[in-house]
């Protein structure tokens, strides 16, 4: 007898799914198939046994476990597309190695980027119309006209709400799952290298900052949208260091920089963007003499800011000395923001085209003019961000 169980979001949290599979095995339900399209798990009745499951993700067509995993008792149970399930009948205390999670984390991040783009677009749409309503509510009297098209409007509104909720749920769920997967790969990461502890070690109290500002020891400067041109931020910080302004602290949002007045010095800075990081990433750079200054709290934008002081007669140190890694980093930045912004720019450009803005502006009312100008502003701002990332890539390529 076969049992089918529907799990629509099982891949969002593979650890929870693995625990569920182990509990099903203890009840005598043996996993035989996963349909990744219908999201059904299919079991057959078997013997009751304690079994440890691990889910993996690999784009290789012929998936196989390493000999080291096989010697530790792991066996491939099934494959479904890029997903596979391995099982082990040994007690967890006797297992020395486990399948890697790196590919699952990368796959999850791609889904986060997709839903992140949808979430941003739908949020912008809602704020767009709320702003229009607030601006025009005092001057325009609104009313509803009977029309069969209202059904279509409500239908699209309902789809939009469902997509917005699904995007928010997906981002939140995957964010937590990825954090647990990273912690599983590096048990000491949560205690020694977690995002919160890294920032707390360097974060001064509000009273301390206020005291230093009142005494004139601190200079506050702001740098918005630096992530679209990180090389310019690096040069800006290095120039300020030569002028005697030492970077002391970076605000939570990453746009406010606090500097302490001192003597001129030579410091090399690097703003680095990574898809995901682990303990080795921080250990490697710290052992090379780099100091972690700032780490973003957003999982869709994992930026780290590093500094390295050096003598005047020394060559400026670089986080990535070879051109290949520098270009790879710049391309990653450009592609990431293009993926986020280009769909929004395209949709709003089509919206502007539907207005026939330049031909009919004299016939527009105040509401249509406001919507048109706001659409143009969104296209210009997000378009400029995208262009800046590719100009950054071009600068790195030409050096």
């Amino acid at each position: 007898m076969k049992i089918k169980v529907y799990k629509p979001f099982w891949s969002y949290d593979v650890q929870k799914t693995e625990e569920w599979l182990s509990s099903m095995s203890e009840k005598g339900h043996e996993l035989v198939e996963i349909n990744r399209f219908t999201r059904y798990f299919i079991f057959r009745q078997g013997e009751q046994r304690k079994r440890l499951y691990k889910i993996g993700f690999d784009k290789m067509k012929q998936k196989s476990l390493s000999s080291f995993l096989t010697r530790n008792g792991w066996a491939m149970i099934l494959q479904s597309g890029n997903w596979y399930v391995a099982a082990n009948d040994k007690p967890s205390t006797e297992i020395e190695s486990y399948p890697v999670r790196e590919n699952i984390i990368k796959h999850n991040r791609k889904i986060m980027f997709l839903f992140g783009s949808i979430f941003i677009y739908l949020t912008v749409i809602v704020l767009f119309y709320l702003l229009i309503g607030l601006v025009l509510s005092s001057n325009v009297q609104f009313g509803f006209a009977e029309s069969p098209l209202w059904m279509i409007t409500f239908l699209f509104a309902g789809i939009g709400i469902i997509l917005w909720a699904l995007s928010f749920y997906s981002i939140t769920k995957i964010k937590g799952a990825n954090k647990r997967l990273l912690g599983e790969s590096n048990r000491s990461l949560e205690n020694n290298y977690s995002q919160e502890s890294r920032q707390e070690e360097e974060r001064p109290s509000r009273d301390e900052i206020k005291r230093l500002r009142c005494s004139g020891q601190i200079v506050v400067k702001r740098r918005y949208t630096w992530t679209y041109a990180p090389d310019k931020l690096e040069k800006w910080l290095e120039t300020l260091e030569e002028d005697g302004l030492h970077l002391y602290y970076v605000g939570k949002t990453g746009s406010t920089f606090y500097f302490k007045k001192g003597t001129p010095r030579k410091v090399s800075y690097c703003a680095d963007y990574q898809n995901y990081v682990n303990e080795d990433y921080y250990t490697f750079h710290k052992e090379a003499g780099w100091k972690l200054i700032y780490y973003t709290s957003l999982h869709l934008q994992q930026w780290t800011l590093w500094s390295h002081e050096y003598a005047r007669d020394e060559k400026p140190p670089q986080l990535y000395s070879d051109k290949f890694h520098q270009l790879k980093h710049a391309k990653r930045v450009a592609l990431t923001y293009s993926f986020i912004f280009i769909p929004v720019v395209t949709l709003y450009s089509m919206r502007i085209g539907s207005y026939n803005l330049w031909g009919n502006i004299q016939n527009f009312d105040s509401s249509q003019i406001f919507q048109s100008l706001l659409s143009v502003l969104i296209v210009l701002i997000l378009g400029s961000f995208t262009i800046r990332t590719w100009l950054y890539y071009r600068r790195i390529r030409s050096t």
Side-chain angles (χ1 to χ4, degrees), residues 336-348:
T336 298
Y337 288 111
S338 296
F339 181 80
I340 295 173
F341 293 142
I342 286 180
V344 180
V345 170
T346 302
L347 289 170
Y348 273 97

Side-chain angles (χ1 to χ4, degrees), residues 154-370:
F154 290 135
L155 176 63
F156 277 102
I159 294 174
I161 293 171
I162 293 172
L163 278 176
W164 189 90
L166 177 62
S167 300
F168 181 80
Y169 173 81
S170 300
I171 293 170
T172 305
K173 192 75 173 179
I174 294 174
K175 177 181 176 181
N178 270 10
K179 185 176 180 181
R180 289 190 294 275
L181 287 172
L182 284 169
E184 175 188 284
S185 300
N186 301 280
R187 295 300 180 184
S188 61
L189 179 63
E190 186 172 331
N191 295 326
N192 300 321
Y193 292 93
S194 68
Q195 170 183 319
E196 293 79 10
S197 64
R198 285 193 302 271
Q199 294 191 37
E200 287 295 336
E201 290 173 1
E202 303 295 334
R203 182 180 299 158
S205 65
R206 291 183 179 180
D207 293 337
E208 177 68 12
I209 293 177
K210 186 177 180 180
R211 183 186 67 81
L212 292 172
R213 291 189 67 178
C214 292
S215 63
Q217 299 180 53
I218 278 188
V219 176
V220 180
K221 294 180 179 292
R222 288 175 173 80
R223 194 82 171 186
Y224 301 101
T225 68
W226 60 263
T227 54
Y228 312 122
D231 58 329
K232 292 187 176 181
L233 173 76
E234 296 164 358
K235 292 179 180 178
W236 177 67
L237 291 173
E238 290 166 1
T239 301
L240 291 176
E241 290 283 356
E242 292 179 354
D243 293 337
L245 293 179
H246 305 166
L247 183 59
Y248 172 61
Y249 170 64
V250 181
K252 290 183 179 180
T253 61
S255 59
T256 306
F257 296 80
Y258 299 83
F259 299 88
K260 269 188 176 181
K261 295 179 181 179
T263 58
R265 64 179 184 176
K266 302 290 288 185
V267 180
S268 182
Y269 282 91
C270 181
D272 189 32
Y273 177 84
Q274 296 290 329
N275 291 327
Y276 81 97
V277 293
N278 55 26
E279 180 181 356
D280 293 337
Y281 172 82
Y282 297 99
T283 303
F284 178 79
H285 293 310
K286 286 183 177 181
E287 289 179 350
W290 290 89
K291 180 182 179 182
L292 182 63
I293 302 297
Y294 173 72
Y295 188 95
T296 54
S297 58
L298 297 175
H299 281 246
L300 289 176
Q301 298 182 25
Q302 292 206 11
W303 283 94
T304 50
L305 181 61
W306 298 89
S307 70
H308 194 311
E309 187 176 359
Y310 61 99
R312 291 190 175 275
D313 57 346
E314 292 180 345
K315 185 179 179 181
Q318 293 181 324
L319 199 71
Y320 300 108
S321 56
D322 60 295
K323 187 67 174 289
F324 173 78
H325 281 93
Q326 292 173 1
L327 276 174
K328 185 178 180 181
H329 176 265
K331 190 174 183 179
R332 185 188 303 122
V333 172
L335 289 175
T336 298
Y337 288 111
S338 296
F339 181 80
I340 295 173
F341 293 142
I342 286 180
V344 180
V345 170
T346 302
L347 289 170
Y348 273 97
S349 297
M350 294 172 61
R351 186 183 185 91
I352 294 170
S354 67
Y355 290 151
N356 193 11
L357 185 60
W358 313 118
N360 294 331
I361 193 168
Q362 66 275 10
N363 299 322
F364 282 3
D365 57 28
S366 58
S367 173
Q368 291 173 313
I369 292 175
F370 183 79

Side-chain angles (χ1 to χ4, degrees), residues 63-111:
K63 300 175 184 62
S64 60
L65 299 177
S66 66
S67 57
F68 186 67
L69 289 175
T70 304
R71 287 196 300 270
N72 271 271
W74 291 101
M76 186 83 73
I77 299 300
L78 60 86
Q79 300 178 20
S80 180
N82 295 328
W83 294 94
Y84 67 87
V85 179
N88 199 324
D89 293 326
K90 288 185 176 180
S92 58
T93 54
E94 298 179 9
I95 301 175
E96 298 179 358
S97 63
Y98 296 84
V100 296
R101 302 297 202 174
E102 181 178 344
N103 289 333
I104 296 180
I105 295 171
K106 289 181 178 179
H107 175 72
N108 284 349
R109 291 198 176 280
K110 291 179 181 179
I111 297 176

